[in-house]
C-alpha cells in the first residue's frame, strides 16, 4: 500500500532510481555512441583531427548524471557530498544551475547567518549539531577537494531564546528534547541572565534557553487511487545573455531552488492533479520577503553577546568588532510584504523592530541604522520545516528546500542526507524521514515551533 510505503520506504538508491537508466542508454553507452559519430564524421571530412564545427564551450554539457537546480548553500552542499561520498572518484557528473550568477539576490548571501541548536524537533537539532561540527572542521573537509584547502574560520557566539510566562513551559520541554539529542543548552532564570548579560533588560522574561556550540510506474493508494510514476528526462538550461536554451539529459534532478522551488516542482508536473490526491499534492513552498537591518550602537552589547531571539519575535546578533549589529523581525501573517521585489520597508524597523530592541537592550535606544536589505525565505506553509528526499511519483526528483529561514545553518547536514538517499537509498547519518514530501499528502506535520 502506498501509505505504508510513503511512511517507511525510500526505495533503491541513485543507481536503482536513476543512474544507468537514461532514455538513450547508460552513461558508458552514451559516450560510445558519441565516439562512433565523431569517427564517422571524421572519416568523410578531409584531413586533420576531429574538431567541433562551432565553439560550444559556453554551453552546459548535453548530459549530466545529476542536475541541481539552485546554486545556493543547499544546492552546493548536495553537490559537495555527492562527490565526497561517491565510491569511485569521477563516477558521478554533477551540474549545478543557478540563475543569479552574481548572487546579488540569493537568499544564502542575504541571510542573517545565525546558527543555533534550539529547535523543538529532534531532527532539526541533529542537523544543526552535524553542521556546526562540519563548519568547525571545514578546512579538513575541504582539503579533500581543494589543494591547498581554503582558509576559513568559524567563530560562533551562541544563541539565546527568551520566553515569556506563556512560553516558559514549552521552552522547558524543548530543552529536554535538545539535551537528549546532544545539544549543549541550559535554562537560565532572569537573575542569571542579568548576571551574565548586564546590558539586557529582563522585564517580561520568565525563562531563557542559552545554547553554545560544542565540538562534538503504476501503483494504487490505500483507497484505490491509481497513480502513475513519472521521470524527468532532461532539463532545459537558459544560457547567460541569450535567449538560447541548452537541453541537458540527466538521471536525477535536485530541487534546491529555495524560494522558487515550488515553481520548479510545478514545471515537473507536481501538484497537477485532482485536489486531495497524491498527484494533486503541491510542494507548499513559497517566497516570503524578510528585511535585515544593520545598525551601529557604540554602547551596545560586547563580544560575548549571543544571537538573541526576543519573545516579541525581534532578534539580533553582533556583527564584527565595530559595535555593529544585524537583526530584524518576521512580520505577522496579515502583514506579509509583497515578495515581488526586494525593496526594504524602513518604517517596519521603526514601528515593529526597534521598540522591542530598545525595550530589551536599553543601549539600543540610541542606535543608528546604517544599512538594510531584503532577502527571501523558502517558506514551507505546511509546517515551516524542510523537505528532503525523493518525490513519491516523480521518481528522479529530490528535494532540499523549504527550511523557512534555517536552511543556511543546516546546509552541510542536509546536503549529506540528500546525497546518502541518492547513493544508498536511505538516510544514514540522520534519519530525516519526517521531512519527506509524502507528509503533505498524508497530512502529518513535522511542526517546528522555534522559528524566527
Amino acid at each position: 500500500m502506498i501509505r505504508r510505503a510513503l511512511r517507511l520506504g525510500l526505495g533503491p538508491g541513485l543507481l536503482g532510481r536513476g543512474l544507468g537508466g537514461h532514455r538513450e542508454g547508460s552513461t558508458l553507452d552514451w559516450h560510445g555512441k558519441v565516439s562512433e559519430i565523431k569517427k564517422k564524421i571524421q572519416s568523410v571530412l578531409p584531413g586533420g583531427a576531429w574538431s567541433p564545427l562551432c565553439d560550444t564551450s559556453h554551453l552546459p554539457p548535453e548530459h549530466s548524471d545529476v542536475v541541481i537546480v539552485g546554486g545556493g548553500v543547499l544546492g552546493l552542499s548536495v553537490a559537495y557530498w555527492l562527490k565526497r561520498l561517491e565510491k569511485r572518484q569521477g563516477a558521478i557528473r554533477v551540474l549545478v544551475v543557478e540563475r543569479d550568477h552574481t548572487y546579488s539576490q540569493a537568499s544564502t548571501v542575504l541571510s542573517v547567518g545565525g546558527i543555533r541548536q534550539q529547535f523543538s524537533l529532534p531532527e532539526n537539532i541533529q542537523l544543526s549539531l552535524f553542521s556546526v561540527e562540519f563548519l568547525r572542521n571545514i578546512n579538513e573537509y575541504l582539503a579533500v577537494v581543494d589543494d591547498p584547502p581554503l582558509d576559513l574560520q568559524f567563530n560562533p557566539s551562541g544563541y539565546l531564546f527568551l520566553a515569556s510566562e506563556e512560553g516558559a513551559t514549552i521552552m522547558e520541554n524543548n530543552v529536554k528534547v535538545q539535551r537528549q539529542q546532544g545539544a549543549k543548552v541550559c535554562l537560565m532564570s532572569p537573575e542569571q541572565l542579568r548576571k551574565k548579560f548586564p546590558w539586557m533588560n529582563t522585564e517580561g522574561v520568565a525563562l531563557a534557553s542559552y545554547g553554545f556550540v560544542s565540538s562534538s510506474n503504476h501503483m494504487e493508494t490505500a483507497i484505490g487511487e491509481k497513480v502513475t510514476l513519472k521521470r524527468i528526462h532532461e532539463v532545459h538550461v537558459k544560457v547567460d545573455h541569450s535567449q538560447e536554451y541548452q537541453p541537458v539529459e540527466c538521471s536525477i534532478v535536485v530541487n534546491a531552488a529555495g524560494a522558487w522551488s515550488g515553481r520548479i516542482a510545478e514545471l515537473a508536473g507536481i501538484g497537477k492533479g485532482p485536489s486531495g490526491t497524491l498527484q494533486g499534492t503541491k510542494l507548499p513552498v513559497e517566497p516570503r520577503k524578510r528585511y535585515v537591518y544593520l545598525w551601529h550602537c557604540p554602547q551596545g552589547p560586547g563580544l560575548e553577546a549571543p544571537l538573541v531571539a526576543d519573545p516579541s519575535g525581534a532578534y539580533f546578533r553582533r556583527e564584527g568588532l565595530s559595535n555593529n549589529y544585524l537583526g530584524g523581525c518576521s512580520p505577522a501573517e496579515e502583514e506579509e510584504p509583497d515578495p515581488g521585489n526586494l525593496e526594504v520597508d524602513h518604517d517596519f524597523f521603526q514601528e515593529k523592530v526597534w521598540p522591542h530592541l530598545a525595550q530589551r537592550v536599553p543601549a539600543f535606544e540610541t542606535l543608528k541604522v546604517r544599512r538594510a536589505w531584503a532577502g527571501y525565505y523558502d517558506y514551507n506553509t505546511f509546517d515551516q520545516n524542510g523537505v528532503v528526499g525523493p518525490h513519491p511519483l516523480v521518481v528522479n526528483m529530490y528535494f532540499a528546500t523549504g527550511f523557512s529561514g534555517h536552511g543556511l545553518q543546516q546546509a552541510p547536514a542536509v546536503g549529506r542526507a540528500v546525497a546518502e538517499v541518492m547513493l544508498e537509498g536511505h538516510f544514514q547519518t540522520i534519519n530525516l524521514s519526517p521531512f519527506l514530501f509524502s507528509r503533505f499528502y498524508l497530512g502529518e506535520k513535522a511542526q517546528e515551533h522555534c522559528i524566527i
Side-chain angles (χ1 to χ4, degrees):
M1 294 304 220
I2 191 173
R3 181 173 290 270
R4 187 169 185 274
L6 289 176
R7 285 199 182 100
L8 303 177
L10 290 174
L14 184 145
L15 290 175
R17 292 174 64 97
L19 284 184
H22 313 311
R23 278 188 308 173
E24 301 297 331
S26 69
T27 303
L28 294 176
D29 289 340
W30 172 266
H31 287 303
K33 291 177 180 178
V34 171
S35 179
E36 290 178 10
I37 293 172
K38 287 182 178 180
K39 289 178 180 178
K40 290 180 180 179
I41 295 177
Q42 188 174 6
S43 67
V44 298
L45 291 177
W50 157 261
S51 62
L53 300 179
C54 61
D55 180 18
T56 60
S57 60
H58 66 291
L59 297 176
E62 295 181 353
H63 178 86
S64 182
D65 297 313
V66 179
V67 174
I68 299 174
V69 183
V73 65
L74 282 166
L76 294 178
S77 178
V78 173
Y80 167 81
W81 283 111
L82 277 174
K83 300 303 294 181
R84 175 74 185 264
L85 298 177
E86 64 181 351
K87 290 181 169 58
R88 182 169 59 84
Q89 189 173 4
I92 303 174
R93 288 174 293 178
V94 180
L95 173 66
V96 179
V97 179
E98 169 58 45
R99 67 174 184 170
D100 178 14
H101 62 87
T102 67
Y103 285 81
S104 60
Q105 296 187 6
S107 300
T108 296
V109 298
L110 297 176
S111 164
V112 171
I115 296 181
R116 58 188 167 103
Q117 306 164 58
Q118 285 101 322
F119 289 97
S120 58
L121 290 180
E123 293 81 8
N124 276 328
I125 299 167
Q126 293 172 45
L127 286 171
S128 287
L129 288 173
F130 179 94
S131 297
V132 163
E133 189 277 335
F134 177 91
L135 291 172
R136 271 193 174 277
N137 300 285
I138 191 168
N139 285 322
E140 296 178 19
Y141 282 104
L142 294 184
V144 176
V145 293
D146 292 308
D147 187 17
L150 299 178
D151 182 19
L152 299 177
Q153 301 289 328
F154 175 57
N155 297 299
S157 58
Y159 203 102
L160 187 66
F161 256 102
L162 307 180
S164 60
E165 288 284 354
E166 294 78 8
T169 301
I170 295 176
M171 178 174 285
E172 287 177 336
N173 293 332
N174 287 344
V175 166
K176 290 178 183 177
V177 175
Q178 292 155 21
R179 287 173 175 169
Q180 290 169 358
Q181 300 304 317
K184 292 192 177 296
V185 293
C186 65
L187 291 172
M188 300 181 70
S189 67
E191 293 74 19
Q192 291 171 318
L193 279 176
R194 284 192 292 270
K195 184 176 181 180
K196 185 170 182 62
F197 306 114
W199 42 265
M200 182 182 296
N201 172 16
T202 59
E203 180 182 352
V205 175
L207 204 60
S209 167
Y210 180 49
F212 42 96
V213 179
S214 67
S215 55
S216 37
N217 301 338
H218 293 281
M219 56 194 300
E220 272 193 11
T221 67
I223 59 174
E225 172 195 342
K226 292 186 177 181
V227 295
T228 301
L229 302 181
K230 300 178 181 178
R231 176 178 291 277
I232 300 168
H233 293 289
E234 64 182 20
V235 173
H236 289 212
V237 180
K238 189 176 183 300
V239 181
D240 283 344
H241 312 299
S242 171
Q243 296 301 312
E244 186 178 2
Y245 284 82
Q246 169 73 33
V248 180
E249 187 178 357
C250 58
S251 296
I252 298 290
V253 176
V254 178
N255 187 343
W260 318 112
S261 55
R263 298 182 185 180
I264 298 299
E266 288 181 3
L267 291 175
I270 293 172
K272 301 286 190 177
S275 178
T277 67
L278 186 56
Q279 296 99 319
T281 302
K282 297 180 180 293
L283 176 67
V285 176
E286 62 184 41
R288 293 284 180 94
K289 184 164 73 171
R290 294 292 181 263
Y291 307 123
V292 178
Y293 303 91
L294 185 149
W295 62 89
H296 180 68
C297 182
Q299 305 304 318
L303 294 176
E304 85 289 352
L307 197 160
V308 178
D310 190 71
S312 65
Y315 58 90
F316 73 90
R317 71 171 177 85
R318 187 179 172 104
E319 172 72 358
L321 303 175
S322 303
N323 290 97
N324 292 322
Y325 304 85
L326 279 175
C329 182
S330 293
E333 192 73 25
E334 64 274 11
E335 297 176 328
E336 283 289 348
D338 177 14
N341 60 67
L342 286 179
E343 295 177 1
V344 176
D345 183 352
H346 295 277
D347 291 336
F348 183 81
F349 182 85
Q350 295 298 324
E351 298 170 6
K352 304 293 183 179
V353 184
W354 176 73
H356 298 297
L357 294 174
Q359 191 275 334
R360 185 60 57 209
V361 183
F364 282 162
E365 290 182 1
T366 59
L367 64 78
K368 291 186 178 180
V369 177
R370 287 187 165 178
R371 289 180 57 206
W373 61 87
Y376 290 113
Y377 271 15
D378 51 337
Y379 194 81
N380 177 353
T381 60
F382 184 74
D383 56 15
Q384 293 79 61
N385 243 319
V387 189
V388 182
H391 188 270
L393 297 182
V394 183
V395 296
N396 62 338
M397 173 169 277
Y398 290 73
F399 298 102
T401 186
F403 284 86
S404 306
H406 52 279
L408 184 148
Q409 61 184 297
Q410 296 180 340
V414 173
R416 179 166 187 138
V418 174
E420 287 174 351
V421 173
M422 292 169 65
L423 294 170
E424 304 296 338
H426 61 278
F427 298 115
Q428 293 182 312
T429 307
I430 303 173
N431 182 9
L432 297 184
S433 295
F435 292 175
L436 290 170
F437 178 96
S438 54
R439 74 183 191 271
F440 306 135
Y441 170 67
L442 298 173
E444 299 176 349
K445 291 188 176 183
Q447 191 71 55
E448 177 54 61
H449 299 288
C450 299
I451 295 291
I452 61 173

